[in-house]
Amino acid sequence: MDTVAQASAPPPPRIGMVGGGFMARTHTHAARAAGGHLDLITTSSAAGGRRAAAELGYRAAATGEDFFDHDLDVVHICTPNSTHAEHSLRALDAGFHIICEKPLAVDAASARSISDRAQSLGLSGTVPFVYRYHPMVREARARIRRGDAGTLLTIDASYLQDWLLSAEDDNWRVDAGSGGPSRAFADIGSHLVDLLEFITDEAIVSVSATTRTVHPRRGGAAVTTEDTVAMTVELSGGGIGSVLISQLAPGHKNGLVIDIAGSQESLRFAQERPEELWVGRRAGSQLLVRDPDTLSPDAARLCSVPAGHPQGYQDAFNAFVADSYAVFAGESREGVPTLADGVRAALITEAVLKSAAERTWVEVEA
């Protein structure tokens, strides 16, 4: 029986990686865990490609041009934001499914061109909004879908980091030429609004935003991208919310928090405590702890270890990549962030920047 099953099982997908930094390492761990065959890698330099190949377990492509001539199934794109559209379109034209780091592109028109190209070629792509893959996020979503929370009233959401706190702190993302016109929002705010819409099953229909560039110069160069964003949002169901994003919040390393208040109960998820979901009620509250025996089916599906054995960021990433590969193979998976979700994030980002520039409410394109 096992022999027959093995003989009929499809071969593991052949994986190509564009980029060799932190996110390429994270993607590689997940690709390996999902059973992908780590085939080929390319970076911005031949020496960097050889180094990344040796460290991560790929073959190094002779050149970037040579990379797209190889026989691959899936290409992971983990390069600076301004190159995402170019690499995504080349990979699709070569016949490969794609997993492209967010933002999918630095503007909505380019993001939409990627999604349209994939659809026209019969290919698929995903964007790693991986916080969807914490089981307790899925539990919050299931409770709202069942009606446990009642009518959604308000949302209080924030994503705070401190890695760019000082004017001496610098990174390629700060440069609009590499990172795009938005930094804090496109980099981490996109995660937050994706999670907000995913959990609530509602869309952000309009925004009123204020941005600040606290340090006008970093590394000797002028800075035009934002350090912080504060915004108010209106939701399709009538609820309202506040969203705060900062990369200059001392002591906050990766503090994504979302608190949703409905007419019957509140739900609070904090990414740095991913094993927990706080459920608040007027008559009493409780702290739910991840346990596959007590969670909704979609949440339990993502529990890779038993209760009491903590899961975290890499586990969420592993589940996202495994689901992506399953979708590319023609299977169905719940809650996979698609290229359309990447386009959606780009549309919200543009609305935020427009609102901040014009100091007015801006509707988000549906």
Side-chain angles (χ1 to χ4, degrees), residues 83 91 103 107 122 145 197 218 253 257 278 282 308 333-334:
T83 66
D107 60 82
R145 284 187 155 193
E197 292 192 333
R218 291 179 185 267
K253 303 307 177 185
V257 179
W278 180 78
R282 191 171 187 178
R333 290 291 187 273
E334 173 70 21

Side-chain angles (χ1 to χ4, degrees), residues 35-310:
H37 171 65
L38 306 183
D39 194 343
L40 199 65
I41 193 169
T42 185
T43 69
S44 58
S45 70
R50 291 191 295 270
R51 187 164 52 249
E55 291 175 356
L56 300 178
Y58 297 87
R59 295 181 299 125
T63 65
E65 295 295 320
D66 174 69
F67 176 87
F68 292 99
D69 291 333
H70 283 260
D71 195 10
L72 303 169
D73 296 307
V74 182
V75 168
H76 292 245
I77 298 160
C78 303
T79 55
N81 302 345
S82 62
T83 66
H84 287 179
E86 173 192 354
H87 293 317
S88 293
L89 292 171
R90 289 205 64 185
L92 290 168
D93 287 342
F96 312 142
H97 301 291
I98 60 171
I99 298 180
C100 181
E101 262 302 320
K102 49 82 203 157
L104 180 58
V106 296
D107 60 82
S110 296
R112 188 177 280 114
S113 71
I114 297 169
S115 181
D116 290 346
R117 185 75 60 85
Q119 186 173 13
S120 70
L121 294 171
L123 295 167
S124 297
T126 59
V127 180
F129 290 123
V130 296
Y131 298 129
R132 293 183 178 199
Y133 278 84
H134 286 300
M136 302 313 285
V137 163
R138 298 295 177 107
E139 183 64 17
R141 185 174 190 243
R143 296 181 75 89
I144 288 176
R145 284 187 155 193
R146 287 199 307 260
D148 295 2
T151 302
L152 194 153
L153 303 176
T154 63
I155 290 177
D156 181 19
S158 61
Y159 200 159
L160 307 178
Q161 298 178 335
D162 69 359
W163 69 290
L164 289 172
L165 176 62
S166 167
E168 285 69 48
D169 296 323
D170 202 5
N171 183 268
W172 61 260
R173 292 173 177 83
V174 172
D175 174 24
S178 297
S182 171
R183 187 210 331 142
F185 192 85
D187 186 28
I188 61 176
S190 58
H191 273 299
L192 190 57
V193 294
D194 176 80
L195 202 63
L196 187 161
E197 292 192 333
F198 179 71
I199 292 175
T200 64
D201 256 352
E202 293 194 15
I204 295 172
V205 295
S206 63
V207 301
S208 176
T210 300
T211 64
R212 288 288 184 273
T213 301
V214 177
H215 300 302
R217 300 188 69 84
R218 291 179 185 267
V223 175
T224 60
T225 55
E226 78 281 358
D227 292 311
T228 60
V229 183
M231 52 192 277
T232 302
V233 301
E234 292 183 324
L235 302 174
S236 54
I240 57 175
S242 63
V243 176
L244 179 64
I245 295 124
S246 176
Q247 294 177 318
L248 285 73
H252 292 276
K253 303 307 177 185
N254 201 39
L256 182 156
V257 179
I258 185 164
D259 197 321
I260 301 165
S263 57
Q264 300 300 318
E265 67 180 27
S266 295
L267 300 164
R268 184 178 189 273
F269 174 79
Q271 194 277 151
E272 292 182 335
R273 302 180 67 89
E275 294 281 279
E276 301 173 353
L277 178 68
W278 180 78
V279 180
R281 304 185 191 89
R282 191 171 187 178
S285 303
Q286 66 181 132
L287 188 66
L288 301 182
V289 179
R290 186 188 62 80
D291 183 347
D293 291 337
T294 62
L295 298 180
S296 61
D298 190 36
R301 176 180 77 86
L302 297 176
C303 294
S304 57
V305 293
H309 300 72

Side-chain angles (χ1 to χ4, degrees), residues 308-324:
H309 300 72
Q311 290 183 214
Y313 173 76
Q314 187 66 57
D315 298 288
F317 218 108
N318 292 357
F320 156 73
V321 169
D323 267 11
S324 295

